[in-house]
């Protein structure tokens, strides 16, 4: 078994994408956290999202 | 009945926030429905399914918020719509005042927290895989709270995470602890020497709370998602987590919790763990493995107690009840009132429900898992997808249990019920006063529907949790509800009430 450098060996620093209450709980526990202002991509149109992703892959 | 539809253009709101506001407004007597959804394709289908679609709602796009209120009068429908909008805009105004920067892109977020090492995602499932993939590309470990992630996406994300030596916790990961820090629905517990790996959220909560009650703490608790030990996913994150905990100097014993794993995954786990110096205590809910690589336990409480004994260099001898005298007194007091009658279990925690089903069916015979089965005893997981479409999880909003109880009483399904068994799961993210919610509904049913069944509640939590576990238990006690801190003890006690024939055996084992 190879030795790993992993998350378990470091203090956690979090990017929170979604529920704000998770950020609030982490802040209360004095954990560094950035709350993202996430919104559905391409106005939430899943077909358009898939199209954009395939264009990005080609590029 | 009057119906009011309002569309708020170009305003994104998180679904949990919307459901919380809607469920708060729906509590008013003259309001029969409040539906608040973003106008995505799935939500339009959902509105149609529950018969709430209106001409106006059809015009809403995925970036628009739909608010539909059904009330006794047009005035109330209109004023409640305005209340909903004010509650949401107040929340947003509050956010603006916090003066904290909220980046729109992952690159911008990493600009502000360049040494970030974990992304916590709780966004709608259809977008979660895409965002999680970007996080892994940036070298972030992932805690994925979102559900409804396709199996194929889960497999490819976990493979990608493993190639980069990153943890991918989830999907549908409710709880985790990394270096003592709780993520998601987390109880406030001590840090300590026991590491956990769990394919179940409430199962993990029950175990860490029991460890805390026994005076021990947790080094790390890694959620792997309910499907990780299926043959399709092949235990990709369980095996990685086991290796990490084996190498972790703070972890002296590992607890592994899951539904019965597939046979090929069991082989892989056994091959890996047989080389370990750290003992692994397993709880595979109803499955007993032929080998002895794991210290196998039958229940969540037994897993916790066994691990505590192990770190203290003792052997654990399982008993059905830790306080047999209390059980004898309770049985004497209750007599045979519930003997031969139905048991109805209404759970908010899926793994707790499953454990109760297993223990009860051993003594009572078949136990149905859904209301549709209609046969005799029943233990339902109210957090199952079929009960939570468009609603918050019952741990956040236990009103769904109240509604089910009232419906069962109205259809006469509680008439032959001897015992009602429920769970209350405390901790961050959960409802702040589930005991009061339960007691109010039970008292109403006792008065109006002559509910005479014994009520048994299992309370999962710690003294440091925001709900104040002692206060929650007092409220239940005062209402004549029998409280247990252990799910397996609650289920065994309920079995003894309904089937007195099993009392002698259990009490002999306990003494």
């Amino acid at each position: 078994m190879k030795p790993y450098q992993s998350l378990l060996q470091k203090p956690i620093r979090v990017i929170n994408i979604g529920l704000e209450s998770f950020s609030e709980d982490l802040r209360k526990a004095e954990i560094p956290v950035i709350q993202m202002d996430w919104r559905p991509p391409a106005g939430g149109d899943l077909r358009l999202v898939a199209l954009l992703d395939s264009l990005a892959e080609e590029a | 009945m009057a119906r009011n539809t309002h569309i708020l253009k170009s305003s994104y709101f998180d679904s949990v926030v919307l459901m919380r506001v809607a469920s708060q407004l729906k509590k008013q007597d003259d309001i029969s429905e409040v539906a608040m959804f973003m106008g995505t394709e799935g939500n339009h289908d959902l509105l149609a399914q529950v018969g709430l679609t209106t001409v106006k709602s059809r015009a809403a796009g995925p970036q628009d918020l739909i608010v539909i209120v059904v009330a006794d009068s047009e005035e109330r429908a209109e004023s409640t719509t305005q209340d909903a909008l004010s509650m949401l805009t107040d929340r947003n105004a509050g956010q603006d005042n916090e003066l904290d920067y909220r980046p729109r892109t992952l690159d911008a977020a990493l600009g502000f927290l360049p040494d970030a090492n974990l992304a916590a995602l709780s966004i709608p499932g259809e977008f979660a895989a895409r965002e999680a993939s970007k996080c892994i590309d940036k070298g972030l470990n992932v805690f994925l709270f979102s559900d409804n992630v396709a199996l194929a996406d889960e497999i490819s994300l976990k493979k990608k995470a493993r190639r980069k030596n990153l943890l991918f916790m989830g999907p549908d990961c409710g709880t985790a602890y990394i270096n003592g820090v709780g993520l998601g629905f987390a109880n406030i517990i001590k840090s300590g020497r026991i590491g956990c790996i769990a394919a179940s959220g409430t199962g993990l909560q029950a175990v860490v709370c029991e460890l805390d009650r026994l005076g021990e703490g947790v080094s790390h608790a890694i959620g792997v998602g309910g499907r990780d030990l299926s043959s399709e996913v092949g235990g990709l994150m369980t095996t990685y987590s086991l290796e990490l905990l084996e190498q972790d100097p703070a972890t002296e014993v590992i607890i592994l919790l899951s539904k019965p794993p597939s046979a090929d995954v069991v082989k892989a786990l056994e091959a890996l763990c047989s080389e370990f110096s750290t003992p692994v205590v397993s709880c595979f809910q109803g499955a007993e493995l032929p080998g002895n690589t794991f210290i196998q336990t039958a229940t969540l409480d037994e897993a916790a107690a066994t691990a505590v004994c192990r770190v203290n260099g003792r052997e654990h001898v399982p008993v059905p009840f830790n306080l047999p005298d209390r059980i004898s007194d309770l049985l004497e007091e209750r007599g045979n009132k519930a003997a031969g009658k139905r048991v109805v279990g209404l759970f908010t925690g899926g793994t707790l429900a499953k454990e109760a089903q297993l223990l009860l069916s051993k003594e009572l015979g078949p136990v149905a898992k859904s209301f549709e089965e209609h046969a005799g005893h029943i233990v339902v997981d109210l957090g199952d997808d079929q009960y939570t479409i468009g609603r918050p999880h019952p741990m956040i909003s236990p009103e769904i249990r109240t509604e089910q109880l009232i419906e069962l009483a109205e259809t006469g399904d509680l008439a032959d019920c001897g015992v009602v068994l429920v769970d209350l799961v405390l901790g961050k993210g959960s409802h702040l006063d589930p005991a009061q919610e339960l007691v109010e509904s039970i008292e109403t049913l006792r008065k109006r529907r002559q509910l005479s069944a014994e009520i048994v509640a299992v309370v999962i939590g710690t003294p440091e949790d925001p709900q104040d576990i002692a206060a929650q238990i007092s409220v239940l006690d005062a209402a004549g509800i029998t409280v247990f801190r252990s799910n397996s003890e609650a289920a065994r006690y309920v079995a003894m009430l309904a089937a007195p024939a099993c009392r002698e055996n259990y009490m002999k084992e306990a003494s």
Side-chain angles (χ1 to χ4, degrees):
Chain A
M1 190 168 58
K2 60 176 180 183
Y4 293 109
Q5 284 295 315
S6 80
L7 182 67
L8 308 191
Q9 291 144 351
K10 304 165 202 154
I12 63 166
R13 299 172 71 83
V14 183
I15 293 177
N16 190 49
I17 309 172
L19 287 174
E20 303 246 349
S21 60
F22 289 174
S23 281
E24 287 155 23
D25 287 338
L26 288 166
R27 272 193 203 110
K28 276 184 210 153
E30 297 181 359
I31 302 300
V33 55
I34 285 275
Q35 170 70 40
M36 265 181 65
D37 179 15
W38 184 86
R39 288 159 197 233
D45 184 335
L46 288 170
R47 279 167 289 228
L48 191 54
V49 172
L51 189 63
L52 288 172
D53 285 348
S54 62
L55 287 174
E57 265 170 40
E58 278 171 32
Chain B
M1 280 290 161
R3 182 180 297 198
N4 188 63
T5 306
H6 185 93
I7 309 297
L8 193 60
K9 295 291 258 179
S10 302
S11 314
Y12 177 73
F13 293 94
D14 181 85
S15 64
V16 173
V17 170
L18 294 175
M19 287 189 279
R20 272 194 186 143
V21 171
S23 103
Q24 206 170 326
L25 290 169
K26 213 182 138 187
K27 281 185 176 168
Q28 304 169 95
D29 286 342
D30 55 350
I31 306 298
S32 41
E33 194 56 74
V34 179
M36 297 168 73
F37 293 103
M38 298 306 298
T40 61
E41 209 173 301
N43 287 340
H44 279 298
D45 290 349
L46 181 65
L47 285 172
Q49 215 177 314
V50 292
L52 282 174
T53 303
T54 61
V55 176
K56 240 175 159 181
S57 77
R58 275 195 206 103
Q63 295 277 48
D64 306 331
L65 170 69
I66 307 167
V67 182
I68 300 174
V69 177
V70 184
D72 287 359
S73 66
E74 273 177 30
E75 292 73 33
R76 287 293 291 136
E78 173 59 34
S79 67
T80 305
T81 305
Q82 288 312 318
D83 290 346
L85 296 173
S86 326
M87 283 162 86
L88 290 172
T89 41
D90 284 354
R91 279 185 73 93
N92 276 357
Q95 286 166 12
D96 290 343
N97 291 338
E98 281 172 18
L99 293 175
D100 57 352
Y101 171 61
R102 284 152 197 272
R104 292 285 298 271
T105 66
L106 191 57
D107 283 332
L110 282 164
F112 269 77
L113 199 61
D115 50 355
N117 49 20
L118 175 69
L121 288 107
S122 48
I123 54 177
E126 61 263 44
F127 303 107
R130 186 176 186 270
E131 302 299 331
S133 177
K134 286 198 256 174
C135 293
I136 297 171
D137 288 339
K138 297 285 178 189
L140 295 168
N141 296 274
V142 172
F143 171 80
L144 183 55
F145 185 82
S146 314
D147 57 4
N148 292 319
V149 172
L151 182 62
D153 287 336
E154 176 177 346
I155 295 168
S156 86
L157 288 166
K158 283 183 170 172
K159 282 185 176 162
K160 183 155 134 173
R162 279 222 56 171
R163 281 197 297 273
K164 298 182 84 138
N165 287 339
L166 294 170
L167 271 173
F168 185 93
M169 296 178 270
D172 202 8
C173 182
T175 307
Y177 294 84
I178 302 295
N179 282 315
V181 179
L183 297 164
F185 286 100
N187 299 89
I188 304 190
I189 55 166
K190 293 185 260 297
S191 286
R193 302 176 279 175
I194 297 169
C196 301
I197 300 166
S200 128
T202 48
L204 178 58
Q205 284 188 270
V207 165
V208 299
C209 289
E210 184 62 7
L211 293 173
D212 191 84
R213 201 169 72 86
L214 296 170
E216 276 299 332
V218 167
S219 52
H220 313 278
I222 303 167
V224 292
R227 298 183 295 214
D228 196 69
L229 287 94
S230 65
S231 52
E232 290 87 352
V233 187
L236 278 168
M237 272 303 134
T238 304
T239 47
Y240 181 50
S241 306
L242 281 163
E243 289 182 75
L244 293 185
L245 290 181
E246 161 74 355
Q247 291 176 13
D248 176 43
T251 302
E252 294 177 23
V253 170
I254 299 169
I255 298 179
L256 174 58
L257 307 173
S258 164
K259 287 179 279 201
S262 73
D264 46 341
V265 174
V266 167
K267 263 193 197 160
L269 295 178
E270 283 180 334
L272 178 68
C273 295
S274 60
E275 307 290 320
F276 278 15
S277 59
T278 316
V280 181
V281 176
S282 68
C283 177
F284 292 133
Q285 289 215 301
E288 214 172 299
L289 308 180
N292 58 2
T293 309
F294 305 112
I295 305 164
Q296 296 186 56
T297 61
T299 64
L300 301 165
D301 306 307
E302 196 190 325
T306 304
V308 170
C309 284
R310 269 288 162 146
V311 286
N312 291 303
R314 300 193 313 264
E315 284 297 315
H316 176 64
V317 182
V319 285
F321 296 102
N322 280 306
L323 297 171
D325 292 347
R326 178 195 179 215
I327 305 301
S328 300
D329 292 348
L330 282 169
L331 289 174
E332 200 175 326
E333 204 181 300
R334 306 299 192 264
N336 284 335
K337 220 175 79 179
K341 292 192 176 172
R342 280 181 83 203
V343 171
V344 173
L346 299 174
F347 280 76
T348 62
T351 304
L352 302 174
K354 169 89 177 152
E355 182 171 271
Q357 280 157 5
L358 285 169
L359 289 164
L360 286 167
S361 59
K362 243 172 73 183
E363 307 300 341
L364 307 178
V367 175
K369 292 178 187 135
S370 76
F371 296 112
E372 287 70 40
E373 291 176 54
H374 273 303
H377 309 293
I378 181 167
V379 174
V380 179
D381 165 20
L382 294 172
D384 193 82
D385 292 349
Q386 59 178 309
Y387 306 111
T388 55
I389 299 172
R391 307 192 54 157
H393 191 278
M395 271 163 58
I396 303 173
S397 184
E399 293 88 352
I400 182 174
R401 176 157 55 205
T402 306
E403 288 163 24
Q404 289 294 350
L405 272 168
I406 292 169
E407 202 177 317
L408 288 170
E410 280 176 355
T411 51
D413 284 319
L414 289 183
D416 57 348
C417 169
V419 196
V420 175
L421 173 61
V422 298
D423 64 342
L424 282 77
V425 183
L426 313 182
K428 289 190 287 187
S430 286
H431 192 274
L432 282 173
D433 194 359
Q436 193 57 39
E437 169 75 28
L438 177 69
V439 164
E440 278 172 18
S441 64
I442 295 294
E443 282 176 350
T444 307
L445 288 171
R446 281 175 178 156
K447 266 186 224 149
R448 295 195 197 155
R449 300 277 169 192
Q450 289 78 46
L451 176 74
S452 60
E454 161 109 17
I455 316 293
V456 177
V458 53
V459 182
I460 304 295
T462 73
E464 302 300 322
D465 281 337
Q467 291 86 354
D468 185 352
I469 193 166
Q472 292 286 302
I473 291 174
S474 317
V475 169
L476 298 170
D477 272 339
I481 294 171
T482 310
V483 178
F484 284 84
R485 298 285 300 276
S486 144
N487 189 53
S488 60
E489 289 200 14
R492 288 188 197 103
Y493 170 68
V494 168
M496 291 199 293
L497 289 177
C502 68
R503 290 181 189 178
E504 200 183 325
N505 268 348
Y506 274 138
M507 295 315 289
K508 206 190 287 171
E509 280 178 53
S511 57

